[in-house]
Amino acid sequence: MINLSVDRQNAWRFRAPSVIPGFGITFGYTLLYLSLIVLFPLATLLWRSSELGFGGLYAVASEPRVAAALRTTFSLSFAAAFIDLIFGLIVAWVLTRYEFPGRRLFDAFVDLPFALPTAVAGISLAALYAPNGWFGAYLAEIGVKVAFTRLGILVALIFIGLPFVVRTVQPIIAELEIELEEASATLGAWRLQTILFVLLPPLVPALLTGFALAFARAIGEYGSVIFIAGNIAYISEIAPLLIVVKLEQYDFAGATAIASIMLAISFIALLVINLIQAWSRKRFGHV
Amino acid sequence: MQKHGFSIKIEGVAQDFGAFAALRNVSLEIKPGELVALLGPSGSGKTTLLRVIAGLNAPDRGRVLFDQEDATYLPVQDRKVGMVFQNYALFKHMTVADNIAYGLKVRPRRYRPSKTEITRRVEELLRFVQLEGLGSRFPGQLSGGQRQRVALARALAIEPRVLLLDEPFGALDARVRKDLRRWLREVHQKTGLTTIFVTHDQDEAMELADRVVVLNEGRIEQIGTPEELYDRPASSFVISFVGEAVALPVTVADGHVNFAGRELHIDTHGLPSGAAKVFFRPADITVASKGNGEIEGRVESIRRTPAGVRATIAIEGYDQTLEIDSPIDQAASLGEKIPLSFTKARVFPADVPDFDDIADGI
Amino acid sequence: MSDILISPALKKTSLRLCGATEDSAFARKLLIFVALLFLLLFLFAPLVVVFIEATRKGLPAFLASFHETDALAAIRLTLIVAAISVPANLIFGLAAAWAIAKFSFPGKSLLITLIDLPFSVSPVVSGLVYLLVFGAQGLCGKWFSAQGIQIIFAVPGIVLATIFVTFPFVARELIPLMQEQGTVEEEAALTLGASGLRTFWTVTIPNIKWGLLYGVLLCNARAMGEFGAVSVVSGHVRGLTNTIPLQVEILYNEYNSVAAFAMAVLLASLALVTLGLKTFLEWKYADALSGRSRRH
């Protein structure tokens, strides 16, 4: 009898013992809902693309129109994320470190791209940069065409990516202790040296994370881009749009192939973000 | 390591932060190679004074001189002060060696030592702070005491004119603290640097410093050696803050001290007539023979302490109890009325914060 | 410990010493100028344009846009979709946060990653996966159409796609918040004799209510504004399967700019209200939301 009860205590359990009720039902529901809504549909996509095989995927990816769209998407997403990185850092620094009238308001506005539906952003950007729009008219005078070109895609991707960089970097800037700067100054460093050697290095993991998030988001972006892009095949057509085009042509295999490639890239980005954060936690003790 | 300290002179320094006066007309002279403690409760201005010396704050009024040279508006980068911050402010993304080398690497090219020279100096400093072989670690991989030694090595690397430490032992646990105190004393002797440290811990100040500067509400209450502070406190604040003190409300009339209708035989040092307070150490009171006591009290409780016996006494004509160290025989005296007299006591004007207020503020 | 009082005012004095811990006045002004100009051009201008374009032909034309039956149908459908998908993800969020935050079990971080998954999937791909499952050739599609139930190019498909893209919102607000709060209060309530459900309503919910509201707010904004995923599964049947964002697209492509922007005004206003409430919650209940730190 005694042995039996000891065994029960030592037996391996899935969860650690707790007096709190409700694990079974909440955990079960979580798994069920997650499986039905997310995992099963995504698995279907993977299954369908595995039917195509690697050769099939490659064949679709190397169709000139698809290859052009993938190139456009990746190169512009990279460029937009890079511009977001630079300006996001400046915006985060200014909003965190300086006091000026309207700071709170501007800070709240950084989240606008999260809150504003992409279709609305799309048509308003198109209206702004159209040749007769507010910005488009001025830009046309100096010979720059934004709407219905790749430049337009870039503008839209910059718009939707900015908050990712700002919101990732901001808390780290807020955490930088003023003593670090003071210590640097007492050791004889001038302001620029302090910024370069003391303030920027701890921000690098957050900047990389913000960059990766903005990049991943830009790759999948659809609504805010299609209105301003002009969607000219081989020139200003993005990969998500091509999925829609393929679907309209009932080319499910082609759409599935492009979707799988994009999904793979998203997961690689996710993995990179996690690696950066793990490295950062190890090195600096924070994310 | 240079064997040379700078003198520091502070003349009428004042600094306000909005309505809050952090420093009010503070003057102070520190001799070359001295080890000085700035002691006071929170908000007494001790850290502000240290920051003014470091050049991290510019005072509103007054001057700071390093060896007769006016350094009041000398940029902090040019001051060559070795500052050890309260939480060390180590650069987390740099190795220990890079932290120590930082002050040398950021020098203008003309004054920057060669790479090999920097490496040599870092090695020397690591040896000096007993952290040989840890140069490639990151600060996150060190213990609190080790971090503090890195911070000190980093400050020493720039060959500072003075060494400033803000609450150097504040972030450490009690055991490590004791060791580091002794070690800091050694460092001071070896470097010969003029050293100023801030603390709110009187034990730390008394044990380490050549001289202690007691600050309260932005003013210097007293400057003196630990013995002077303890034996000849200049104000009620000092006697209450440095060591333990017990206070009794009294009145002074024509050089005589009266408590509850009785005269106490204490020198008033020319205190004007009016309300005053008598301060004495718990140990500076004895049981007098019958009829010869200056005050009378009833023993309410007696308990052992590591140092001896502590008694709680209810004083006649006073609604509070006093805590005194006493040679009272426990069994005989509990509940009994006994006569007491002072071996040493000081009278200060009564219009100053009560001991309890000060104790709360610490 | 000492002299905490001085820190806010340090700036003033440091400035006079020029360069200890502050950037020079010129650098500050330049950086503020650059940052604000960037925000104004890239974020503020697109928002303002929505309102200006919508009222370009006057207020009557703007208001008339809402009298169209298609417009009203789109508004009704958007509300229905949000009314189903937000509560669905709210219940899931609570269940997931309870299981993850209050218990310890292996594979927890994998589970959290899986919950976050929909955020890293392109909206178009999100729509596509449902098309593959429920479409005419899909696994379940055949079965459902045999039962006479249409999912794709109908309201159920729109709801499912919306649930997918808004899936993590509530859960990712609640999980870190509840993890931070731990289980001490619940254990205390249980030892005092409260039932599990009562503990949940009287102890847990009050502790997480602001975080919950925050998550619901963001979830709702996205649910009403989702475009890409919904666009793939909707089939764009006017008056039947068009949500507001899809209606915006149709009107815009028909060069009916005023009507398109009028519908966009609804969504932009929703975004503004969301931002306003979000900012208010962050400002007023910063502590109650602190589990949210460093997430977006």
Side-chain angles (χ1 to χ4, degrees):
Chain A
M1 285 304 274
I2 291 163
N3 275 342
L4 219 161
S5 69
V6 168
D7 277 347
R8 191 174 290 166
Q9 276 177 359
N10 291 345
W12 185 86
R13 290 175 193 234
F14 177 63
R15 66 167 173 92
S18 164
V19 295
I20 295 181
F23 178 76
I25 186 165
T26 54
F27 185 74
Y29 183 70
T30 301
L31 279 191
L32 180 71
Y33 190 78
L34 177 72
S35 305
L36 284 180
I37 298 289
V38 178
L39 300 182
F40 175 60
L42 284 178
T44 308
L45 175 72
L46 294 183
W47 173 56
R48 277 291 158 89
S49 67
S50 74
E51 283 179 344
L52 294 172
F54 186 75
L57 282 180
Y58 185 77
V60 173
S62 52
E63 276 175 36
R65 191 172 169 188
V66 176
L70 287 172
R71 240 192 335 268
T72 305
T73 293
F74 289 124
S75 59
L76 290 176
S77 296
F78 194 88
F82 188 75
I83 292 168
D84 282 329
L85 180 74
I86 306 287
F87 285 95
L89 174 62
I90 295 174
V91 168
W93 180 265
V94 164
L95 290 177
T96 317
R97 296 296 290 255
Y98 300 155
E99 242 356 290
F100 55 90
R103 190 181 61 90
R104 240 179 214 295
L105 193 72
F106 280 105
D107 192 78
F109 255 104
V110 168
D111 281 334
L112 184 73
F114 286 155
L116 194 68
T118 52
V120 178
I123 63 167
S124 71
L125 285 172
L128 267 181
Y129 289 94
N132 59 350
W134 286 1
F135 297 166
Y138 287 104
L139 292 168
E141 275 178 31
I142 56 167
V144 180
K145 215 168 158 280
V146 176
F148 319 126
T149 69
R150 293 173 141 221
L151 213 51
I153 302 177
L154 186 68
V155 167
L157 295 182
I158 291 171
F159 173 84
I160 53 115
L162 183 74
F164 289 95
V165 177
V166 177
R167 292 301 186 227
T168 318
V169 177
Q170 238 178 342
I172 310 296
I173 294 179
E175 255 175 36
L176 289 172
E177 304 152 76
I178 190 121
E179 284 81 13
L180 291 178
E181 294 164 61
E182 292 179 344
S184 174
T186 60
L187 293 167
W190 290 93
R191 187 64 189 161
L192 202 61
Q193 291 175 314
T194 301
I195 289 171
L196 288 178
F197 303 143
V198 174
L199 295 179
L200 272 183
L203 300 182
V204 167
L207 284 169
L208 287 178
T209 304
F211 176 87
L213 285 169
F215 178 69
R217 172 71 199 265
I219 285 175
E221 183 54 24
Y222 176 68
S224 59
V225 175
I226 55 159
F227 295 98
I228 197 174
N231 309 325
I232 307 152
Y234 301 103
I235 297 171
S236 61
E237 202 171 49
I238 53 167
L241 176 72
L242 209 53
I243 294 179
V244 175
V245 170
K246 295 256 178 205
L247 285 177
E248 280 166 0
Q249 297 163 348
Y250 299 101
D251 178 5
F252 286 92
T256 305
I258 302 171
S260 324
I261 293 166
M262 287 175 52
L263 208 58
I265 300 295
S266 304
F267 290 166
I268 290 171
L270 203 67
L271 187 72
V272 167
I273 292 167
N274 280 325
L275 288 177
I276 294 170
Q277 296 196 336
W279 168 73
S280 154
R281 234 191 312 272
K282 210 174 138 204
R283 182 78 178 271
F284 302 105
H286 63 63
V287 181
Chain B
M1 213 84 23
Q2 66 193 69
K3 267 259 180 194
H4 171 63
F6 279 62
S7 74
I8 296 170
K9 199 169 177 187
I10 291 149
E11 294 179 346
V13 161
Q15 178 147 42
D16 303 327
F17 295 117
F20 176 70
L23 291 174
R24 324 177 194 213
N25 196 19
V26 168
S27 295
L28 173 64
E29 237 176 292
I30 296 167
K31 294 191 274 293
E34 218 179 352
L35 177 54
V36 169
L38 303 180
L39 174 68
S42 294
S44 60
K46 56 189 191 302
T47 295
T48 309
L49 183 57
L50 193 78
R51 294 174 60 90
V52 166
I53 297 169
L56 293 169
N57 287 18
D60 297 327
R61 288 176 297 281
R63 297 203 299 164
V64 177
L65 299 119
F66 283 21
D67 266 0
Q68 273 82 54
E69 176 208 349
D70 188 344
T72 317
Y73 295 104
L74 189 64
V76 55
Q77 288 89 348
D78 292 336
R79 268 191 204 218
K80 296 190 79 174
V81 292
M83 178 103 175
V84 176
F85 289 82
Q86 191 172 355
N87 294 310
Y88 319 133
L90 294 179
F91 307 131
K92 290 193 209 57
H93 59 284
M94 294 183 199
T95 62
V96 167
D98 285 338
N99 264 284
I100 297 172
Y102 184 80
L104 301 173
K105 284 185 182 163
V106 296
R107 283 194 189 164
R109 194 150 309 204
R110 272 179 298 155
Y111 306 109
R112 193 183 308 160
S114 68
K115 267 211 168 106
T116 47
E117 170 64 8
I118 291 179
T119 316
R120 195 190 62 73
R121 292 267 286 280
V122 169
E123 286 300 318
E124 187 185 88
L125 282 159
L126 280 171
R127 249 194 321 277
F128 182 73
V129 297
Q130 297 157 16
L131 290 175
E132 278 167 295
L134 298 185
S136 56
R137 295 262 186 102
F138 285 94
Q141 301 167 315
L142 301 181
S143 72
Q146 288 174 324
R147 279 182 214 176
Q148 201 213 33
R149 286 187 268 164
V150 175
L152 187 79
R154 185 178 69 174
L156 291 175
I158 62 165
E159 293 171 340
R161 303 198 280 188
V162 296
L163 186 59
L164 306 175
L165 303 104
D166 188 3
E167 297 274 5
F169 311 110
L172 300 170
D173 58 61
R175 210 167 256 266
V176 186
R177 249 184 225 212
K178 291 255 173 197
D179 290 344
L180 277 172
R181 275 189 210 172
R182 203 173 317 125
W183 179 72
L184 183 66
R185 181 97 228 179
E186 276 172 38
V187 166
H188 174 249
Q189 274 160 6
K190 280 187 196 158
T191 60
L193 282 170
T194 310
T195 305
I196 305 172
F197 70 97
V198 155
T199 181
H200 65 275
D201 182 339
Q202 41 138 335
D203 287 340
E204 219 163 83
M206 305 294 259
E207 189 185 321
L208 267 176
D210 298 328
R211 281 199 301 157
V212 178
V213 179
V214 183
L215 284 133
N216 181 35
E217 295 183 337
R219 286 193 199 84
I220 293 183
E221 293 272 342
Q222 189 171 5
I223 307 172
T225 62
E227 294 73 31
E228 283 168 350
L229 292 187
Y230 198 80
D231 295 334
R232 293 193 294 286
S235 67
S236 58
F237 176 82
V238 175
I239 196 173
S240 318
F241 193 70
V242 179
E244 246 185 307
V246 184
L248 272 183
V250 294
T251 51
V252 175
D254 303 325
H256 298 286
V257 180
N258 287 299
F259 172 73
R262 283 179 153 187
E263 191 179 344
L264 307 181
H265 302 288
I266 297 166
D267 188 357
T268 59
H269 296 285
L271 207 67
S273 302
K277 271 187 174 176
V278 164
F279 288 84
F280 56 95
R281 306 284 182 200
D284 291 343
I285 198 163
T286 56
V287 181
S289 53
K290 275 235 156 23
N292 288 337
E294 293 179 277
I295 56 174
E296 220 166 54
R298 196 160 41 80
V299 183
E300 297 221 313
S301 72
I302 297 174
R303 60 183 196 278
R304 285 291 312 178
T305 64
V309 176
R310 176 64 55 107
T312 306
I313 311 273
I315 300 293
E316 226 142 87
Y318 184 49
D319 55 1
Q320 286 175 30
T321 55
L322 301 183
E323 299 258 300
I324 62 169
D325 292 339
S326 95
I328 300 166
D329 176 357
Q330 187 170 339
S333 310
L334 200 58
E336 221 169 83
K337 255 190 187 173
I338 50 167
L340 297 164
S341 63
F342 305 105
T343 51
K344 209 192 284 174
R346 296 183 71 91
V347 193
F348 292 107
D351 57 350
V352 289
D354 209 35
F355 172 68
D356 294 329
D357 298 341
I358 294 160
D360 289 346
I362 296 166
Chain C
M1 165 97 193
S2 62
D3 302 11
I4 294 154
L5 282 163
I6 62 176
S7 40
L10 277 178
K11 278 176 199 143
K12 181 190 79 175
T13 49
S14 302
L15 254 182
R16 273 200 284 129
L17 274 172
C18 186
T21 58
E22 287 296 326
D23 306 306
S24 70
F26 173 74
R28 293 162 74 93
K29 279 182 187 144
L30 182 71
L31 285 176
I32 291 177
F33 176 77
V34 168
L36 296 195
L37 189 70
F38 187 83
L39 290 179
L40 284 175
L41 292 183
F42 276 85
L43 298 193
F44 199 66
L47 180 71
V48 174
V49 155
V50 174
F51 291 89
I52 293 196
E53 289 287 329
T55 51
R56 196 211 274 287
K57 294 194 174 134
L59 210 55
F62 168 72
L63 291 174
S65 313
F66 298 109
H67 292 303
E68 298 289 326
T69 45
D70 290 350
L72 291 173
I75 293 171
R76 196 168 54 237
L77 180 59
T78 299
L79 291 175
I80 290 171
V81 168
I84 300 170
S85 52
V86 173
N89 284 334
L90 169 66
I91 292 166
F92 162 72
L94 281 170
W98 184 266
I100 289 171
K102 303 291 178 191
F103 301 92
S104 66
F105 54 89
K108 194 187 266 192
S109 57
L110 175 69
L111 185 58
I112 295 175
T113 308
L114 289 177
I115 289 172
D116 267 354
L117 209 52
F119 274 164
S120 22
V121 176
S122 166
V124 173
V125 176
S126 312
L128 173 69
V129 294
Y130 281 99
L131 207 58
L132 293 180
V133 174
F134 295 108
Q137 304 154 339
L139 274 178
C140 311
K142 284 173 198 151
W143 186 83
F144 275 108
S145 57
Q147 312 299 311
I149 303 168
Q150 201 183 0
I151 294 197
I152 293 305
F153 306 139
V155 176
I158 296 174
V159 171
L160 281 172
T162 306
I163 289 179
F164 182 93
V165 294
T166 57
F167 185 84
F169 276 103
V170 179
R172 69 151 34 191
E173 286 306 325
L174 292 186
I175 291 169
L177 179 61
M178 280 167 68
Q179 273 178 334
E180 197 175 80
Q181 289 173 348
T183 54
V184 183
E185 290 188 38
E186 281 79 10
E187 281 164 1
L190 292 169
T191 60
L192 293 171
S195 69
L197 217 55
R198 192 182 170 87
T199 302
F200 175 73
W201 283 112
T202 55
V203 176
T204 310
I205 287 287
N207 275 340
I208 60 168
K209 61 181 177 212
W210 299 118
L212 194 67
L213 182 59
Y214 192 95
V216 166
L217 210 62
L218 298 184
C219 183
N220 179 61
R222 181 71 192 266
M224 290 187 168
E226 177 52 30
F227 175 71
V230 170
S231 163
V232 171
V233 295
S234 122
H236 304 275
V237 185
R238 281 190 150 218
L240 281 178
T241 63
N242 270 350
T243 58
I244 302 178
L246 298 177
Q247 187 71 9
V248 167
E249 183 195 20
I250 288 181
L251 293 168
Y252 187 81
N253 286 342
E254 289 171 346
Y255 301 101
N256 192 347
S257 173
V258 168
F261 277 100
M263 296 305 274
V265 158
L266 288 182
L267 294 172
S269 306
L270 173 73
L272 280 180
V273 170
T274 305
L275 275 189
L277 280 172
K278 178 175 174 293
T279 310
F280 175 77
L281 285 177
E282 281 169 359
W283 167 66
K284 190 97 193 205
Y285 302 105
D287 296 339
L289 294 170
S290 60
R292 203 184 45 79
S293 60
R294 266 178 252 143
R295 288 167 158 254
H296 12 86

